[in-house]
């Protein structure tokens, strides 16, 4: 319901939903909460939060570097979920998604993991290394726990795979700007409209574009392509990597950056195309 409310709100003004990503517990719990406050206060419509993992195969060097700090601080999965519970208590209407990896789900036990997610108020879980064809591993237990599973739609997927993604993804569908891993080293390209059109024809939930989106121009390109929202991760995490030893500078720069992307997302794109 939180996702539906968010997409209804932004689409009524021809806006895109803006969903920034950070790793919880980075660089430490106190600053992580302050960073999340910066995201929300400067225009985030929802949050995509990650748990630090030693082998994040979908992530590029920027997010890999960030994941090392919570791991070095022994910031556990339990600590990460607890922190997200604090975010939920502060922002009861904000959609919160968790991006994680299958090993972390298995380590907790699948049912236990999704129960914990539900208890702390997480709306959706994206298991980055679980393709839709393996969704039966998690789908029933996630659904029973009231957690929506999100799947990634790569640009080179077959029609059959896109049909399955549209059928099984809940809350939204994560649309890749390009193949590869996260990071701003390779900029986003405008998603192919035929690719997006197929997902819509298959009745996909709202389309949110990520991977390589770091500038307002990328946001306008995404709007022109017809997506419903955008995710930025590496550009924000890079600011944390650069300035975590100077928290005030870090927070100010994150606030400035998020505000610039939020302003681009919250433009009446129908009248600027």
């Amino acid at each position: 319901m939180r996702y539906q409310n968010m997409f209804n709100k932004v689409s009524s003004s021809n806006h895109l939903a803006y969903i920034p990503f950070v790793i919880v517990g980075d660089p430490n719990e106190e600053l992580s909460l302050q960073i999340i406050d910066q995201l929300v206060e400067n225009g985030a419509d929802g949050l995509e939060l990650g748990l630090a993992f030693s082998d994040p195969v979908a992530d590029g060097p920027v997010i890999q570097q960030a994941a090392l700090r919570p791991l070095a601080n022994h910031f556990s999965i339990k600590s990460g979920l607890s922190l997200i519970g604090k975010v939920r208590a502060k922002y009861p209407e904000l959609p919160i998604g968790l991006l994680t990896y299958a090993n972390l789900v298995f380590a907790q036990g699948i049912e236990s993991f999704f129960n914990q997610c539900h208890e702390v108020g997480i709306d959706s879980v994206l298991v980055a290394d679980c393709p839709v064809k393996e969704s039966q591993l998690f789908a029933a237990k996630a659904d029973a726990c009231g957690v929506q599973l999100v799947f990634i739609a790569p640009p080179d997927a077959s029609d059959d795979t896109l049909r399955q993604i549209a059928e099984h993804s809940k809350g939204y569908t994560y649309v890749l700007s390009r193949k590869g891993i996260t990071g701003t080293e390779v900029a986003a390209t405008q998603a192919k409209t035929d690719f997006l059109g197929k997902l819509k024809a298959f009745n996909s939930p709202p389309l949110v574009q990520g991977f390589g989106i770091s500038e307002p121009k990328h946001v306008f390109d995404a709007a022109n392509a017809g997506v419903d929202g955008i995710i930025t991760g590496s550009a924000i995490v890079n600011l944390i990597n650069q300035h975590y030893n100077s928290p005030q500078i870090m927070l100010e720069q994150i606030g400035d950056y998020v505000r610039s992307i939020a302003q681009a997302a919250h433009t009446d794109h129908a009248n600027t195309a």
Side-chain angles (χ1 to χ4, degrees):
M1 183 60 76
R2 292 188 183 98
Y3 280 117
Q4 184 177 341
N5 290 341
M6 175 185 73
F7 287 115
N8 287 345
K9 179 182 176 182
V10 296
S11 67
S12 67
S13 302
N14 295 316
H15 294 176
L16 297 188
Y18 177 34
I19 306 175
F21 167 89
V22 291
I23 294 176
V24 293
D26 178 39
N28 56 51
E29 178 166 354
E30 179 183 357
L31 284 174
S32 182
L33 285 166
Q34 292 182 42
I35 288 168
I36 291 170
D37 284 340
Q38 284 289 306
L39 304 181
V40 177
E41 291 169 4
N42 286 285
D45 299 297
L47 296 170
E48 186 79 2
L49 302 175
L51 297 171
F53 180 47
S54 59
D55 189 23
V57 294
D59 291 313
V62 169
I63 294 178
Q64 290 180 25
Q65 181 182 344
L68 297 177
R69 289 186 287 269
L71 292 174
N73 290 335
H74 305 289
F75 192 78
S76 65
I77 296 173
K78 183 177 180 180
S79 299
L81 293 174
S82 175
L83 186 151
I84 294 173
K86 295 176 183 177
V87 176
R88 167 57 66 218
K90 194 167 185 179
Y91 304 107
E93 304 303 323
L94 197 73
I96 297 177
L98 180 68
L99 191 154
T100 189
Y101 289 90
N103 274 7
L104 297 184
V105 181
F106 290 132
Q108 299 289 304
I110 298 173
E111 187 169 359
S112 173
F113 180 83
F114 286 115
N115 263 325
Q116 292 178 68
C117 290
H118 174 72
E119 288 171 0
V120 300
I122 291 171
D123 297 293
S124 69
V125 172
L126 192 166
V127 184
D129 52 352
C130 177
V132 69
K133 292 181 180 178
E134 304 298 332
S135 62
Q136 67 273 16
L137 281 172
F138 305 120
K141 288 187 171 58
D143 190 56
C145 295
V147 175
Q148 297 173 302
L149 275 188
V150 171
F151 288 95
I152 292 176
D156 57 348
S158 67
D159 287 2
D160 181 56
T161 298
L162 292 178
R163 188 189 305 275
Q164 291 185 56
I165 290 167
E167 178 182 351
H168 292 287
S169 201
K170 309 295 181 187
Y172 70 93
T173 295
Y174 195 126
V175 177
L176 296 192
S177 306
R178 52 169 171 71
K179 294 190 290 184
I181 56 177
T182 63
T184 58
E185 300 84 359
V186 180
T189 56
Q190 183 168 324
K192 296 179 180 177
T193 52
D194 60 339
F195 161 62
L196 302 176
K198 288 177 182 177
L199 285 166
K200 292 177 180 177
F202 297 145
N203 295 316
S204 169
L207 306 178
V208 177
Q209 186 177 354
F211 277 38
I213 292 184
S214 61
E215 303 174 4
K217 177 184 181 304
H218 301 151
V219 180
F220 286 98
D221 287 346
N224 289 334
V227 302
D228 303 287
I230 51 102
I231 290 178
T232 64
S234 294
I236 299 169
V237 175
N238 197 39
L239 292 173
I240 302 172
N241 289 348
Q242 292 175 359
H243 301 295
Y244 68 91
N245 283 322
S246 302
Q248 191 58 40
I249 294 173
M250 176 187 71
L251 293 170
E252 289 175 0
Q253 294 208 7
I254 289 173
D256 291 343
Y257 173 78
V258 169
R259 193 161 51 252
S260 71
I261 298 298
Q263 287 173 350
H266 300 159
T267 294
D268 184 349
H269 297 282
N271 290 325
T272 57

